[in-house]
Amino acid sequence: MTIRAVRGVHDILPGEGEKWRRVERIARDVFDSYGYEEIRLPIFERTELFARTIGEATDIVQKEMYTFQDRGGDSVTLRPEATAGLLRAYIEHGLFVHPKPIKLYTMGPMFRYERPQAGRYRQFHQLDVEALGDEHASLDAEMIAMLVEFFRRLDLAQRLQVEINSLGDEKPECRPRYRTELVRYLRANADRLCEECRERIERNPLRVLDCKKPECRRVLDRAPALGDFLCADCAAHFGKTREYLEATGVPHVVSPRLVRGLDYYMRTTFELTTTELGAQNAVAGGGRYDGLIKLLGGPPDPGIGFAVGVERVVQLLPDEGPEAWEGRRVGVFLIPLGEEPLKRLLPIANQLRSKGLVVEVGHGERKLGRELERANKLPQAKRLGVLQAVILGPDELARGEAIVRELKSGTQRTVPLSGLVDELLALGGRA
Ligand code: AMP
């Protein structure tokens, strides 16, 4: 019996790779331009790190973590998100001694034992960005603007909506006051809520607001709104964030019931949503988590960050023709006809590759017709701008020449072997 991939886990096949590379390239470009630096983090951490940061009562910690004991008996967990590990590294390496905010990003796979469905996987990928040590509202606005800029560069911004909200903070007059009010309302309407929501009322009441079931929505849309309960500081912070967003020209809507699945969020939260992906409508989300770094034993630094779901972004990207492919390069297919021509072409192949051309070399054993057919069908051919074949048989070799054939049109010319590299490089390459 053949072995298949684990449920909810998928391969990214060669044909899809170009979109992934594009997403990652643009992410790096945009994040770099806002002064963010890359940090690369381990894929697994001590289990307690996630329990402490994400929250014991959250779905992630209660039911979605891939946790196991390693052979030394330590409990470790495949990271369900990147923020916790990033903050761990920030504290462990004393990164906070540098001028703040410290701006960092990372990218890679995350793991959650969720029910697999369209757009929801058990291994998925995120771009994760965090700015630490600064609580000014202009940073919140800059971060949201950067996220929108990333999508604008992918030509997706107009298909997404920026939703923002403030979750307030844990001062008694702020979110706790709201939580009490919300729990009272939810208890009073519990008989009209689904079972999951009813369970959450006491455990994680804000999260109830997130339920998508129509019968629950009818109740939840009329629930008290957190925005009406914000303390003066949180209300001012939210107002400023919106002003700076407007000054930057970032259209957004306030979604009073936007809450997020992780406990640590406070004040600014945001999501980029689309109507094009069905139930899994969020392509990115994030928010502020002042207090979390201290909770982990670090300095009392505030923090804000977001994560982009790469699978969902890739799903939104259109299939494009070769013209649109970035990093378009010249492709050369070297076709030796026989052993001696092969040996003559091998060093030429390396010279061309070192100058940035994409080069494939035949083995010298197949018939010319077969080789030309193969050249045209190479999967990478559609990624390449100009596609040339170089044909070198024993006769050409004896004359010190090669035939250069433009594959699409079939036009050919004869070129002296001594000038072959320059001739091909003239079509494109790098100095
Ligand atoms: P979160 O870390 O839950 O705030 O998620 C941030 C983003 O990651 C979401 O907006 C999704 O785009 C993506 N995401 C989260 N969970 C999954 C999953 N199980 N499969 C695919 N993408 C996900």
PDB file of all heavy atoms in Angstrom, residues 88-120:
ATOM      1  N   ARG A  88       9.841  34.813  22.957  1.00  0.00           N
ATOM      2  CA  ARG A  88      10.809  34.018  23.729  1.00  0.00           C
ATOM      3  C   ARG A  88      12.228  34.378  23.299  1.00  0.00           C
ATOM      4  O   ARG A  88      13.098  34.655  24.126  1.00  0.00           O
ATOM      5  CB  ARG A  88      10.512  32.526  23.507  1.00  0.00           C
ATOM      6  CG  ARG A  88      11.119  31.588  24.472  1.00  0.00           C
ATOM      7  CD  ARG A  88      12.227  30.686  23.927  1.00  0.00           C
ATOM      8  NE  ARG A  88      12.141  30.301  22.529  1.00  0.00           N
ATOM      9  CZ  ARG A  88      13.095  30.553  21.654  1.00  0.00           C
ATOM     10  NH1 ARG A  88      14.202  31.186  22.002  1.00  0.00           N
ATOM     11  NH2 ARG A  88      12.959  30.162  20.400  1.00  0.00           N
ATOM     12  N   ALA A  89      12.452  34.444  21.992  1.00  0.00           N
ATOM     13  CA  ALA A  89      13.785  34.777  21.480  1.00  0.00           C
ATOM     14  C   ALA A  89      14.165  36.220  21.837  1.00  0.00           C
ATOM     15  O   ALA A  89      15.314  36.506  22.192  1.00  0.00           O
ATOM     16  CB  ALA A  89      13.830  34.579  19.972  1.00  0.00           C
ATOM     17  N   TYR A  90      13.199  37.108  21.764  1.00  0.00           N
ATOM     18  CA  TYR A  90      13.417  38.528  22.092  1.00  0.00           C
ATOM     19  C   TYR A  90      13.930  38.666  23.521  1.00  0.00           C
ATOM     20  O   TYR A  90      14.881  39.401  23.802  1.00  0.00           O
ATOM     21  CB  TYR A  90      12.074  39.241  21.929  1.00  0.00           C
ATOM     22  CG  TYR A  90      12.007  40.706  22.318  1.00  0.00           C
ATOM     23  CD1 TYR A  90      12.538  41.691  21.477  1.00  0.00           C
ATOM     24  CD2 TYR A  90      11.367  41.112  23.486  1.00  0.00           C
ATOM     25  CE1 TYR A  90      12.435  43.032  21.816  1.00  0.00           C
ATOM     26  CE2 TYR A  90      11.249  42.450  23.823  1.00  0.00           C
ATOM     27  CZ  TYR A  90      11.791  43.408  22.981  1.00  0.00           C
ATOM     28  OH  TYR A  90      11.675  44.737  23.309  1.00  0.00           O
ATOM     29  N   ILE A  91      13.324  37.906  24.424  1.00  0.00           N
ATOM     30  CA  ILE A  91      13.723  37.973  25.829  1.00  0.00           C
ATOM     31  C   ILE A  91      15.048  37.231  26.031  1.00  0.00           C
ATOM     32  O   ILE A  91      16.001  37.746  26.616  1.00  0.00           O
ATOM     33  CB  ILE A  91      12.622  37.366  26.729  1.00  0.00           C
ATOM     34  CG1 ILE A  91      11.335  38.179  26.587  1.00  0.00           C
ATOM     35  CG2 ILE A  91      13.082  37.318  28.183  1.00  0.00           C
ATOM     36  CD1 ILE A  91      10.103  37.499  27.166  1.00  0.00           C
ATOM     37  N   GLU A  92      15.114  36.019  25.478  1.00  0.00           N
ATOM     38  CA  GLU A  92      16.282  35.164  25.702  1.00  0.00           C
ATOM     39  C   GLU A  92      17.582  35.818  25.221  1.00  0.00           C
ATOM     40  O   GLU A  92      18.631  35.662  25.839  1.00  0.00           O
ATOM     41  CB  GLU A  92      16.057  33.818  24.987  1.00  0.00           C
ATOM     42  CG  GLU A  92      17.119  32.795  25.267  1.00  0.00           C
ATOM     43  CD  GLU A  92      16.697  31.404  24.777  1.00  0.00           C
ATOM     44  OE1 GLU A  92      15.482  31.142  24.629  1.00  0.00           O
ATOM     45  OE2 GLU A  92      17.599  30.582  24.532  1.00  0.00           O
ATOM     46  N   HIS A  93      17.517  36.541  24.103  1.00  0.00           N
ATOM     47  CA  HIS A  93      18.731  37.131  23.541  1.00  0.00           C
ATOM     48  C   HIS A  93      18.871  38.612  23.867  1.00  0.00           C
ATOM     49  O   HIS A  93      19.716  39.293  23.275  1.00  0.00           O
ATOM     50  CB  HIS A  93      18.760  36.900  22.024  1.00  0.00           C
ATOM     51  CG  HIS A  93      18.680  35.447  21.674  1.00  0.00           C
ATOM     52  ND1 HIS A  93      19.730  34.581  21.878  1.00  0.00           N
ATOM     53  CD2 HIS A  93      17.656  34.694  21.215  1.00  0.00           C
ATOM     54  CE1 HIS A  93      19.355  33.355  21.528  1.00  0.00           C
ATOM     55  NE2 HIS A  93      18.099  33.398  21.124  1.00  0.00           N
ATOM     56  N   GLY A  94      18.014  39.101  24.748  1.00  0.00           N
ATOM     57  CA  GLY A  94      18.141  40.506  25.163  1.00  0.00           C
ATOM     58  C   GLY A  94      18.007  41.498  24.014  1.00  0.00           C
ATOM     59  O   GLY A  94      18.643  42.548  24.003  1.00  0.00           O
ATOM     60  N   LEU A  95      17.178  41.168  23.025  1.00  0.00           N
ATOM     61  CA  LEU A  95      17.049  42.072  21.869  1.00  0.00           C
ATOM     62  C   LEU A  95      16.482  43.424  22.280  1.00  0.00           C
ATOM     63  O   LEU A  95      16.596  44.401  21.562  1.00  0.00           O
ATOM     64  CB  LEU A  95      16.151  41.432  20.797  1.00  0.00           C
ATOM     65  CG  LEU A  95      16.596  40.074  20.260  1.00  0.00           C
ATOM     66  CD1 LEU A  95      15.666  39.600  19.149  1.00  0.00           C
ATOM     67  CD2 LEU A  95      18.035  40.152  19.731  1.00  0.00           C
ATOM     68  N   PHE A  96      15.856  43.466  23.462  1.00  0.00           N
ATOM     69  CA  PHE A  96      15.198  44.700  23.909  1.00  0.00           C
ATOM     70  C   PHE A  96      16.185  45.807  24.279  1.00  0.00           C
ATOM     71  O   PHE A  96      15.788  46.910  24.583  1.00  0.00           O
ATOM     72  CB  PHE A  96      14.261  44.402  25.091  1.00  0.00           C
ATOM     73  CG  PHE A  96      14.883  43.522  26.144  1.00  0.00           C
ATOM     74  CD1 PHE A  96      15.735  44.043  27.101  1.00  0.00           C
ATOM     75  CD2 PHE A  96      14.613  42.147  26.153  1.00  0.00           C
ATOM     76  CE1 PHE A  96      16.317  43.234  28.057  1.00  0.00           C
ATOM     77  CE2 PHE A  96      15.210  41.318  27.106  1.00  0.00           C
ATOM     78  CZ  PHE A  96      16.064  41.860  28.061  1.00  0.00           C
ATOM     79  N   VAL A  97      17.501  45.504  24.281  1.00  0.00           N
ATOM     80  CA  VAL A  97      18.442  46.575  24.618  1.00  0.00           C
ATOM     81  C   VAL A  97      18.625  47.547  23.450  1.00  0.00           C
ATOM     82  O   VAL A  97      19.145  48.637  23.619  1.00  0.00           O
ATOM     83  CB  VAL A  97      19.835  46.027  25.042  1.00  0.00           C
ATOM     84  CG1 VAL A  97      19.700  45.125  26.251  1.00  0.00           C
ATOM     85  CG2 VAL A  97      20.526  45.306  23.898  1.00  0.00           C
ATOM     86  N   HIS A  98      18.166  47.172  22.281  1.00  0.00           N
ATOM     87  CA  HIS A  98      18.331  48.045  21.122  1.00  0.00           C
ATOM     88  C   HIS A  98      17.235  49.112  21.100  1.00  0.00           C
ATOM     89  O   HIS A  98      16.226  48.975  21.782  1.00  0.00           O
ATOM     90  CB  HIS A  98      18.305  47.199  19.841  1.00  0.00           C
ATOM     91  CG  HIS A  98      19.376  46.150  19.818  1.00  0.00           C
ATOM     92  ND1 HIS A  98      20.711  46.451  19.738  1.00  0.00           N
ATOM     93  CD2 HIS A  98      19.298  44.794  19.915  1.00  0.00           C
ATOM     94  CE1 HIS A  98      21.418  45.340  19.775  1.00  0.00           C
ATOM     95  NE2 HIS A  98      20.587  44.311  19.881  1.00  0.00           N
ATOM     96  N   PRO A  99      17.457  50.193  20.324  1.00  0.00           N
ATOM     97  CA  PRO A  99      16.428  51.247  20.266  1.00  0.00           C
ATOM     98  C   PRO A  99      15.086  50.682  19.793  1.00  0.00           C
ATOM     99  O   PRO A  99      15.048  49.853  18.888  1.00  0.00           O
ATOM    100  CB  PRO A  99      16.986  52.233  19.233  1.00  0.00           C
ATOM    101  CG  PRO A  99      18.436  51.925  19.103  1.00  0.00           C
ATOM    102  CD  PRO A  99      18.629  50.501  19.486  1.00  0.00           C
ATOM    103  N   LYS A 100      14.029  51.117  20.420  1.00  0.00           N
ATOM    104  CA  LYS A 100      12.703  50.570  20.132  1.00  0.00           C
ATOM    105  C   LYS A 100      11.890  51.497  19.225  1.00  0.00           C
ATOM    106  O   LYS A 100      12.109  52.688  19.257  1.00  0.00           O
ATOM    107  CB  LYS A 100      11.974  50.327  21.452  1.00  0.00           C
ATOM    108  CG  LYS A 100      12.591  49.173  22.203  1.00  0.00           C
ATOM    109  CD  LYS A 100      12.184  49.183  23.638  1.00  0.00           C
ATOM    110  CE  LYS A 100      12.984  48.120  24.406  1.00  0.00           C
ATOM    111  NZ  LYS A 100      12.844  48.208  25.824  1.00  0.00           N
ATOM    112  N   PRO A 101      10.967  50.978  18.478  1.00  0.00           N
ATOM    113  CA  PRO A 101      10.541  49.581  18.459  1.00  0.00           C
ATOM    114  C   PRO A 101      11.545  48.669  17.762  1.00  0.00           C
ATOM    115  O   PRO A 101      12.196  49.062  16.815  1.00  0.00           O
ATOM    116  CB  PRO A 101       9.237  49.632  17.650  1.00  0.00           C
ATOM    117  CG  PRO A 101       9.385  50.819  16.753  1.00  0.00           C
ATOM    118  CD  PRO A 101      10.184  51.816  17.541  1.00  0.00           C
ATOM    119  N   ILE A 102      11.572  47.431  18.248  1.00  0.00           N
ATOM    120  CA  ILE A 102      12.332  46.374  17.589  1.00  0.00           C
ATOM    121  C   ILE A 102      11.360  45.759  16.582  1.00  0.00           C
ATOM    122  O   ILE A 102      10.284  45.296  16.950  1.00  0.00           O
ATOM    123  CB  ILE A 102      12.750  45.294  18.600  1.00  0.00           C
ATOM    124  CG1 ILE A 102      13.407  45.908  19.844  1.00  0.00           C
ATOM    125  CG2 ILE A 102      13.634  44.241  17.950  1.00  0.00           C
ATOM    126  CD1 ILE A 102      14.761  46.492  19.651  1.00  0.00           C
ATOM    127  N   LYS A 103      11.757  45.781  15.310  1.00  0.00           N
ATOM    128  CA  LYS A 103      10.839  45.329  14.260  1.00  0.00           C
ATOM    129  C   LYS A 103      11.351  44.033  13.643  1.00  0.00           C
ATOM    130  O   LYS A 103      12.443  44.009  13.078  1.00  0.00           O
ATOM    131  CB  LYS A 103      10.727  46.411  13.189  1.00  0.00           C
ATOM    132  CG  LYS A 103      10.078  47.712  13.693  1.00  0.00           C
ATOM    133  CD  LYS A 103      10.205  48.782  12.626  1.00  0.00           C
ATOM    134  CE  LYS A 103       9.017  49.745  12.660  1.00  0.00           C
ATOM    135  NZ  LYS A 103       9.092  50.719  11.543  1.00  0.00           N
ATOM    136  N   LEU A 104      10.571  42.991  13.748  1.00  0.00           N
ATOM    137  CA  LEU A 104      11.012  41.664  13.311  1.00  0.00           C
ATOM    138  C   LEU A 104       9.952  40.955  12.470  1.00  0.00           C
ATOM    139  O   LEU A 104       8.760  41.170  12.673  1.00  0.00           O
ATOM    140  CB  LEU A 104      11.312  40.795  14.537  1.00  0.00           C
ATOM    141  CG  LEU A 104      12.392  41.331  15.504  1.00  0.00           C
ATOM    142  CD1 LEU A 104      12.383  40.531  16.796  1.00  0.00           C
ATOM    143  CD2 LEU A 104      13.761  41.306  14.850  1.00  0.00           C
ATOM    144  N   TYR A 105      10.416  40.129  11.545  1.00  0.00           N
ATOM    145  CA  TYR A 105       9.460  39.259  10.849  1.00  0.00           C
ATOM    146  C   TYR A 105      10.051  37.871  10.665  1.00  0.00           C
ATOM    147  O   TYR A 105      11.262  37.681  10.722  1.00  0.00           O
ATOM    148  CB  TYR A 105       9.019  39.839   9.503  1.00  0.00           C
ATOM    149  CG  TYR A 105      10.066  39.841   8.409  1.00  0.00           C
ATOM    150  CD1 TYR A 105      10.214  38.744   7.571  1.00  0.00           C
ATOM    151  CD2 TYR A 105      10.873  40.943   8.202  1.00  0.00           C
ATOM    152  CE1 TYR A 105      11.161  38.748   6.551  1.00  0.00           C
ATOM    153  CE2 TYR A 105      11.818  40.959   7.184  1.00  0.00           C
ATOM    154  CZ  TYR A 105      11.954  39.862   6.371  1.00  0.00           C
ATOM    155  OH  TYR A 105      12.894  39.864   5.363  1.00  0.00           O
ATOM    156  N   THR A 106       9.160  36.919  10.477  1.00  0.00           N
ATOM    157  CA  THR A 106       9.594  35.554  10.242  1.00  0.00           C
ATOM    158  C   THR A 106       8.544  34.881   9.359  1.00  0.00           C
ATOM    159  O   THR A 106       7.427  35.370   9.241  1.00  0.00           O
ATOM    160  CB  THR A 106       9.799  34.814  11.586  1.00  0.00           C
ATOM    161  OG1 THR A 106      10.489  33.592  11.354  1.00  0.00           O
ATOM    162  CG2 THR A 106       8.478  34.512  12.285  1.00  0.00           C
ATOM    163  N   MET A 107       8.894  33.785   8.730  1.00  0.00           N
ATOM    164  CA  MET A 107       7.903  33.064   7.926  1.00  0.00           C
ATOM    165  C   MET A 107       8.145  31.573   7.998  1.00  0.00           C
ATOM    166  O   MET A 107       9.268  31.141   8.189  1.00  0.00           O
ATOM    167  CB  MET A 107       7.899  33.554   6.470  1.00  0.00           C
ATOM    168  CG  MET A 107       9.248  33.852   5.865  1.00  0.00           C
ATOM    169  SD  MET A 107       9.120  34.491   4.159  1.00  0.00           S
ATOM    170  CE  MET A 107       8.886  36.213   4.394  1.00  0.00           C
ATOM    171  N   GLY A 108       7.065  30.811   7.876  1.00  0.00           N
ATOM    172  CA  GLY A 108       7.262  29.366   7.910  1.00  0.00           C
ATOM    173  C   GLY A 108       6.000  28.637   8.320  1.00  0.00           C
ATOM    174  O   GLY A 108       4.938  29.246   8.483  1.00  0.00           O
ATOM    175  N   PRO A 109       6.118  27.311   8.491  1.00  0.00           N
ATOM    176  CA  PRO A 109       4.940  26.498   8.780  1.00  0.00           C
ATOM    177  C   PRO A 109       4.481  26.592  10.234  1.00  0.00           C
ATOM    178  O   PRO A 109       5.293  26.760  11.137  1.00  0.00           O
ATOM    179  CB  PRO A 109       5.430  25.078   8.488  1.00  0.00           C
ATOM    180  CG  PRO A 109       6.900  25.131   8.684  1.00  0.00           C
ATOM    181  CD  PRO A 109       7.333  26.510   8.326  1.00  0.00           C
ATOM    182  N   MET A 110       3.170  26.500  10.431  1.00  0.00           N
ATOM    183  CA  MET A 110       2.532  26.452  11.748  1.00  0.00           C
ATOM    184  C   MET A 110       1.680  25.180  11.774  1.00  0.00           C
ATOM    185  O   MET A 110       1.281  24.673  10.714  1.00  0.00           O
ATOM    186  CB  MET A 110       1.613  27.662  11.968  1.00  0.00           C
ATOM    187  CG  MET A 110       2.274  29.009  11.712  1.00  0.00           C
ATOM    188  SD  MET A 110       3.578  29.370  12.872  1.00  0.00           S
ATOM    189  CE  MET A 110       4.590  30.489  11.891  1.00  0.00           C
ATOM    190  N   PHE A 111       1.348  24.723  12.973  1.00  0.00           N
ATOM    191  CA  PHE A 111       0.661  23.430  13.102  1.00  0.00           C
ATOM    192  C   PHE A 111      -0.509  23.543  14.062  1.00  0.00           C
ATOM    193  O   PHE A 111      -0.329  23.944  15.208  1.00  0.00           O
ATOM    194  CB  PHE A 111       1.655  22.383  13.608  1.00  0.00           C
ATOM    195  CG  PHE A 111       2.904  22.311  12.771  1.00  0.00           C
ATOM    196  CD1 PHE A 111       3.968  23.176  13.003  1.00  0.00           C
ATOM    197  CD2 PHE A 111       2.992  21.409  11.728  1.00  0.00           C
ATOM    198  CE1 PHE A 111       5.117  23.130  12.218  1.00  0.00           C
ATOM    199  CE2 PHE A 111       4.146  21.352  10.941  1.00  0.00           C
ATOM    200  CZ  PHE A 111       5.201  22.216  11.186  1.00  0.00           C
ATOM    201  N   ARG A 112      -1.691  23.208  13.585  1.00  0.00           N
ATOM    202  CA  ARG A 112      -2.850  23.199  14.484  1.00  0.00           C
ATOM    203  C   ARG A 112      -3.714  21.990  14.138  1.00  0.00           C
ATOM    204  O   ARG A 112      -4.026  21.777  12.964  1.00  0.00           O
ATOM    205  CB  ARG A 112      -3.697  24.478  14.325  1.00  0.00           C
ATOM    206  CG  ARG A 112      -2.981  25.724  14.787  1.00  0.00           C
ATOM    207  CD  ARG A 112      -3.858  26.963  14.683  1.00  0.00           C
ATOM    208  NE  ARG A 112      -3.013  28.168  14.746  1.00  0.00           N
ATOM    209  CZ  ARG A 112      -3.428  29.391  14.520  1.00  0.00           C
ATOM    210  NH1 ARG A 112      -4.703  29.625  14.232  1.00  0.00           N
ATOM    211  NH2 ARG A 112      -2.595  30.406  14.590  1.00  0.00           N
ATOM    212  N   TYR A 113      -4.110  21.258  15.150  1.00  0.00           N
ATOM    213  CA  TYR A 113      -4.955  20.098  14.907  1.00  0.00           C
ATOM    214  C   TYR A 113      -6.399  20.583  14.788  1.00  0.00           C
ATOM    215  O   TYR A 113      -7.189  20.464  15.704  1.00  0.00           O
ATOM    216  CB  TYR A 113      -4.797  19.080  16.040  1.00  0.00           C
ATOM    217  CG  TYR A 113      -5.381  17.745  15.707  1.00  0.00           C
ATOM    218  CD1 TYR A 113      -4.684  16.845  14.918  1.00  0.00           C
ATOM    219  CD2 TYR A 113      -6.636  17.399  16.171  1.00  0.00           C
ATOM    220  CE1 TYR A 113      -5.232  15.620  14.593  1.00  0.00           C
ATOM    221  CE2 TYR A 113      -7.193  16.177  15.855  1.00  0.00           C
ATOM    222  CZ  TYR A 113      -6.488  15.295  15.063  1.00  0.00           C
ATOM    223  OH  TYR A 113      -7.033  14.090  14.740  1.00  0.00           O
ATOM    224  N   GLU A 114      -6.726  21.166  13.631  1.00  0.00           N
ATOM    225  CA  GLU A 114      -8.075  21.665  13.382  1.00  0.00           C
ATOM    226  C   GLU A 114      -8.783  20.690  12.460  1.00  0.00           C
ATOM    227  O   GLU A 114      -8.164  19.834  11.828  1.00  0.00           O
ATOM    228  CB  GLU A 114      -8.010  23.029  12.700  1.00  0.00           C
ATOM    229  CG  GLU A 114      -7.358  24.091  13.547  1.00  0.00           C
ATOM    230  CD  GLU A 114      -7.620  25.487  13.004  1.00  0.00           C
ATOM    231  OE1 GLU A 114      -8.706  26.038  13.284  1.00  0.00           O
ATOM    232  OE2 GLU A 114      -6.746  26.025  12.317  1.00  0.00           O
ATOM    233  N   ARG A 115     -10.092  20.847  12.341  1.00  0.00           N
ATOM    234  CA  ARG A 115     -10.831  20.008  11.406  1.00  0.00           C
ATOM    235  C   ARG A 115     -10.490  20.486   9.994  1.00  0.00           C
ATOM    236  O   ARG A 115     -10.753  21.641   9.659  1.00  0.00           O
ATOM    237  CB  ARG A 115     -12.333  20.144  11.664  1.00  0.00           C
ATOM    238  CG  ARG A 115     -13.166  19.024  11.092  1.00  0.00           C
ATOM    239  CD  ARG A 115     -14.568  19.057  11.683  1.00  0.00           C
ATOM    240  NE  ARG A 115     -15.232  20.345  11.495  1.00  0.00           N
ATOM    241  CZ  ARG A 115     -15.764  20.751  10.345  1.00  0.00           C
ATOM    242  NH1 ARG A 115     -15.742  19.964   9.285  1.00  0.00           N
ATOM    243  NH2 ARG A 115     -16.345  21.911  10.262  1.00  0.00           N
ATOM    244  N   PRO A 116      -9.865  19.632   9.172  1.00  0.00           N
ATOM    245  CA  PRO A 116      -9.458  20.103   7.852  1.00  0.00           C
ATOM    246  C   PRO A 116     -10.673  20.445   6.988  1.00  0.00           C
ATOM    247  O   PRO A 116     -11.682  19.742   7.030  1.00  0.00           O
ATOM    248  CB  PRO A 116      -8.704  18.914   7.253  1.00  0.00           C
ATOM    249  CG  PRO A 116      -8.407  18.009   8.380  1.00  0.00           C
ATOM    250  CD  PRO A 116      -9.476  18.239   9.399  1.00  0.00           C
ATOM    251  N   GLN A 117     -10.610  21.520   6.293  1.00  0.00           N
ATOM    252  CA  GLN A 117     -11.645  21.907   5.332  1.00  0.00           C
ATOM    253  C   GLN A 117     -10.993  22.886   4.373  1.00  0.00           C
ATOM    254  O   GLN A 117      -9.836  23.238   4.546  1.00  0.00           O
ATOM    255  CB  GLN A 117     -12.825  22.552   6.055  1.00  0.00           C
ATOM    256  CG  GLN A 117     -12.430  23.667   7.016  1.00  0.00           C
ATOM    257  CD  GLN A 117     -13.603  24.229   7.782  1.00  0.00           C
ATOM    258  OE1 GLN A 117     -14.433  24.922   7.219  1.00  0.00           O
ATOM    259  NE2 GLN A 117     -13.672  23.921   9.072  1.00  0.00           N
ATOM    260  N   ALA A 118     -11.774  23.342   3.361  1.00  0.00           N
ATOM    261  CA  ALA A 118     -11.185  24.249   2.383  1.00  0.00           C
ATOM    262  C   ALA A 118     -10.591  25.458   3.111  1.00  0.00           C
ATOM    263  O   ALA A 118     -11.257  26.089   3.917  1.00  0.00           O
ATOM    264  CB  ALA A 118     -12.253  24.704   1.401  1.00  0.00           C
ATOM    265  N   GLY A 119      -9.330  25.743   2.836  1.00  0.00           N
ATOM    266  CA  GLY A 119      -8.692  26.920   3.439  1.00  0.00           C
ATOM    267  C   GLY A 119      -8.249  26.722   4.867  1.00  0.00           C
ATOM    268  O   GLY A 119      -7.740  27.643   5.486  1.00  0.00           O
ATOM    269  N   ARG A 120      -8.466  25.527   5.412  1.00  0.00           N
ATOM    270  CA  ARG A 120      -8.006  25.281   6.777  1.00  0.00           C
ATOM    271  C   ARG A 120      -7.221  23.979   6.837  1.00  0.00           C
ATOM    272  O   ARG A 120      -7.736  22.928   6.507  1.00  0.00           O
ATOM    273  CB  ARG A 120      -9.179  25.252   7.737  1.00  0.00           C
ATOM    274  CG  ARG A 120      -8.692  25.479   9.161  1.00  0.00           C
ATOM    275  CD  ARG A 120      -9.713  25.157  10.155  1.00  0.00           C
ATOM    276  NE  ARG A 120     -10.558  26.287  10.440  1.00  0.00           N
ATOM    277  CZ  ARG A 120     -11.642  26.169  11.214  1.00  0.00           C
ATOM    278  NH1 ARG A 120     -11.986  25.002  11.710  1.00  0.00           N
ATOM    279  NH2 ARG A 120     -12.359  27.226  11.475  1.00  0.00           N
TER     280      ARG A 120
END
